[in-house]
Amino acid sequence: ALSRGCIMGCRISPKIMQYTERQRRDAYNYLHAPTQESIWGGTTQPIVDLVNRSFQPEDVLFELSCGDFRLAPVLLHIPGTTVIGTDIIYEALNRRKRANLGSFQDRLLPFLSDVTQPWPIANESIDGILCLNFLHTQDPQTLAHTVFREAMRVLRPGKKFVGNFMVEAVRTHAVTKEILPPGDYVDHEYGEDEAVSFFTYCFAGHALQLDIIRGLNLEARDTNPPYKLIAKSMVFEVQRLR
């Protein structure tokens, strides 16, 4: 059963995380955002199509680095789903009451967590994992030895882990339209061949089916300073077979 303070049978203890400089900036933006809209912009149709293709009614879904719940309405519109959303930034999770979720609130379970550490989730208890616009901020070794390993542990056989890597990123100032360096938002920009090799390395030894979708454009934006980042992504769908 799902309950607050207990994720799929594993106890968790909320605690204050030590923020990096980037996380402090994001926390400020979450706290001072003037509207209900996500600080990262709206949800695009390609993302909606990806979610609807990958997950099924009644699934228990786990969204990594969910931020201020930009994608929660999309996940919760799948009939009967329960969504566990985790982020390291408390100010992001605290915006859930402003996320226009309405009656969906009872099917959303947010908790504070660092997903680069072992997850407080029971083995084979999750029907789907979604992770968009986060993996490029992490060291590849962390992804290989924690995030992907934990994903394969908690997924039920036959279920999917869906995520993306940035392979091209263009960042512009929202007002002046000046093209800017990617900044610390993009720690590692993967080439397509590199991404494919990395997927193969990460999931070696697991019984799974790996599908890769090239060239899906995803948009993100920050508000302080104001910029818009358009990223071409390589999306992967990993289905655990057993």
Side-chain angles (χ1 to χ4, degrees):
L2 287 170
S3 63
R4 299 191 182 281
C6 184
I7 306 298
M8 306 308 292
C10 296
R11 303 297 300 180
I12 64 168
S13 299
K15 61 181 180 180
I16 301 299
M17 301 290 183
Q18 185 66 42
Y19 291 162
T20 65
E21 179 59 35
R22 176 175 54 211
Q23 289 164 350
R24 280 195 294 270
R25 185 179 67 238
D26 286 347
Y28 178 90
N29 291 338
Y30 287 127
L31 187 62
H32 296 282
T35 68
Q36 291 183 327
E37 184 181 7
S38 169
I39 70 169
W40 304 110
T43 302
T44 62
Q45 190 61 44
I47 294 177
V48 175
D49 293 342
L50 177 68
V51 166
N52 289 335
R53 182 176 67 248
S54 300
F55 305 126
Q56 304 298 319
E58 307 299 327
D59 276 353
V60 175
L61 303 176
F62 185 40
E63 185 184 359
L64 306 183
S65 191
C66 65
D68 56 0
F69 303 101
R70 177 176 68 145
L71 299 178
V74 179
L75 296 170
L76 290 166
H77 266 96
I78 302 174
T81 53
T82 298
V83 176
I84 304 168
T86 187
D87 205 282
I88 198 172
I89 301 177
Y90 171 80
E91 289 80 2
L93 299 179
N94 201 40
R95 283 178 59 82
R96 66 186 180 276
K97 294 180 181 179
R98 303 173 64 184
N100 291 322
L101 296 176
S103 61
F104 292 150
Q105 287 278 2
D106 291 342
R107 290 162 45 204
L108 175 66
L109 179 60
F111 75 100
L112 192 69
S113 177
D114 180 357
V115 298
T116 67
Q117 302 298 317
W119 301 351
I121 294 180
N123 295 345
E124 298 185 3
S125 59
I126 298 296
D127 296 308
I129 299 173
L130 181 67
C131 184
L132 296 182
N133 290 352
F134 167 73
L135 300 176
H136 58 270
T137 69
Q138 299 300 309
D139 172 74
Q141 291 301 313
T142 299
L143 296 180
H145 297 295
T146 301
V147 176
F148 291 122
R149 181 184 62 194
E150 287 291 273
M152 292 299 100
R153 179 182 66 80
V154 305
L155 268 180
R156 292 189 175 109
K159 301 301 184 177
K160 291 182 178 181
F161 175 23
V162 179
N164 75 303
F165 283 92
M166 289 186 175
V167 294
E168 292 179 19
V170 178
R171 184 170 177 256
T172 58
H173 194 283
V175 178
T176 67
K177 311 303 181 185
E178 176 188 4
I179 296 178
L180 306 170
D184 66 358
Y185 183 72
V186 183
D187 286 357
H188 192 103
E189 188 174 330
Y190 291 81
E192 290 196 357
D193 291 341
E194 180 188 10
V196 172
S197 297
F198 184 59
F199 293 147
T200 303
Y201 166 73
C202 287
F203 297 117
H206 295 284
L208 51 83
Q209 177 179 327
L210 173 63
D211 295 318
I212 294 174
I213 306 167
R214 299 171 186 262
L216 178 65
N217 290 321
L218 302 178
E219 177 179 327
R221 78 175 181 208
D222 201 350
T223 56
N224 185 31
Y227 73 78
K228 181 168 67 174
L229 186 141
I230 301 294
K232 182 179 289 186
S233 294
M234 177 175 286
V235 175
F236 63 86
E237 295 179 314
V238 176
Q239 183 177 24
R240 179 180 171 181
L241 298 182
R242 64 174 185 272

